[in-house]
Amino acid sequence: EVQLLESGGGLVQPGGSLRLSCAASGFTFDNFAMRWVRQPPGKGLQCVSSINENGGATYYADSVKGRFTISRDNSKNTLYLQMDSLRADDTAVYYCTKGYSTYHSDWGQGILVTVSS
Amino acid sequence: DIQMTQSPSSVSASVGDRVTITCRASQGINNFLAWYQQKPGKGPKILIYTASTLRSGVPSRFSGSGFGTDFTLTISSLQPEDFATYYCQQGHSFPFTFGQGTKLEIK
């Protein structure tokens, strides 16, 4: 069974930083692209970042480009999202997802990031 | 970016009803479309991909169709566990955008 467990969220002041982690199990981690999708409270879904199987190719939404960095450690079956220069509009539940082609085949339970003073 | 527009934004229905949700892309996406179901406090779950392929384990009352710009998700006979929010997502080109969601509520 695929399991994706996010951690590292919480309350941070505007301009601050957080690093999210996603521990993956139940599948061969280095065979799949991985992504981060966020959902602001009461709103819809946005894919903010994606990374290919070996970490050699990454994608960022325009709204986070230059501030967020996605990475992975295939030896630890773990996905990361380093979030710097956080703004109030980054407040959201962040989901780790397992890629299947250009879709999201499995999702974690989500972790809340709140940016507020 | 490709814009995905769902309709309706919300719908009320009863157990046993047939419900159809539509999703329109701002440009052609062939059949690169997925549908997800999200229940409160949970991460979404994929139901259908490549417009009409049912994910293993998803009940056969769910079906999808469409090509190009217009797509539909149909639930043939609503069950109590189907009341949730549904999202479409295009997988044709980055960024892989989602529709705004359709909330399916009990009448």
Side-chain angles (χ1 to χ4, degrees):
Chain A
E1 179 192 3
V2 172
Q3 292 195 7
L4 301 169
L5 185 61
E6 301 96 339
S7 61
L11 175 63
V12 62
Q13 292 190 339
S17 298
L18 277 178
R19 188 174 87 151
L20 303 183
S21 299
C22 171
S25 61
F27 64 102
T28 304
F29 185 70
D30 56 8
N31 280 358
F32 294 90
M34 297 294 294
R35 302 177 182 130
W36 290 98
V37 176
R38 70 182 180 185
Q39 185 171 37
K43 296 191 176 180
L45 301 162
Q46 180 193 25
C47 182
V48 295
S49 191
S50 179
I51 188 167
N52 74 341
E53 295 83 348
N54 64 15
T58 57
Y59 156 81
Y60 299 95
D62 286 345
S63 56
V64 307
K65 203 172 292 182
R67 300 187 299 121
F68 289 13
T69 304
I70 192 171
S71 62
R72 63 191 296 162
D73 185 337
N74 286 348
S75 69
K76 296 182 178 179
N77 289 354
T78 303
L79 175 72
Y80 303 100
L81 186 68
Q82 176 68 40
M83 304 187 294
D84 298 320
S85 303
L86 283 161
R87 311 184 307 218
D89 62 359
D90 295 318
T91 294
V93 173
Y94 284 73
Y95 295 100
C96 165
T97 77
K98 172 175 167 278
Y100 175 77
S101 181
T102 54
Y103 311 112
H104 309 270
S105 64
D106 297 89
W107 298 61
Q109 86 288 350
I111 190 87
L112 179 62
V113 171
T114 302
V115 184
S116 175
S117 55
Chain B
D1 297 1
I2 297 175
Q3 306 302 314
M4 305 300 292
T5 304
Q6 290 181 231
S7 60
S9 296
S10 65
V11 57
S12 295
S14 301
V15 173
D17 284 354
R18 179 184 180 92
V19 169
T20 297
I21 298 168
T22 66
C23 180
R24 175 164 288 177
S26 60
Q27 64 189 71
I29 59 170
N30 296 324
N31 66 341
F32 290 97
L33 186 102
W35 290 97
Y36 300 85
Q37 176 193 67
Q38 186 178 32
K39 295 184 178 179
K42 303 286 189 182
K45 180 179 90 165
I46 192 167
L47 302 173
I48 287 168
Y49 56 97
T50 56
S52 60
T53 303
L54 206 64
R55 187 185 184 165
S56 175
V58 174
S60 59
R61 62 181 179 272
F62 291 92
S63 64
S65 65
F67 188 90
T69 60
D70 294 309
F71 301 86
T72 60
L73 171 69
T74 299
I75 309 172
S76 60
S77 178
L78 277 172
Q79 298 302 300
E81 60 268 29
D82 299 337
F83 292 95
T85 300
Y86 293 84
Y87 293 92
C88 62
Q89 176 240 321
Q90 64 84 12
H92 181 270
S93 52
F94 277 123
F96 299 139
T97 42
F98 292 86
Q100 82 280 12
T102 295
K103 187 172 184 179
L104 177 52
E105 298 175 302
I106 301 173
K107 185 182 287 184

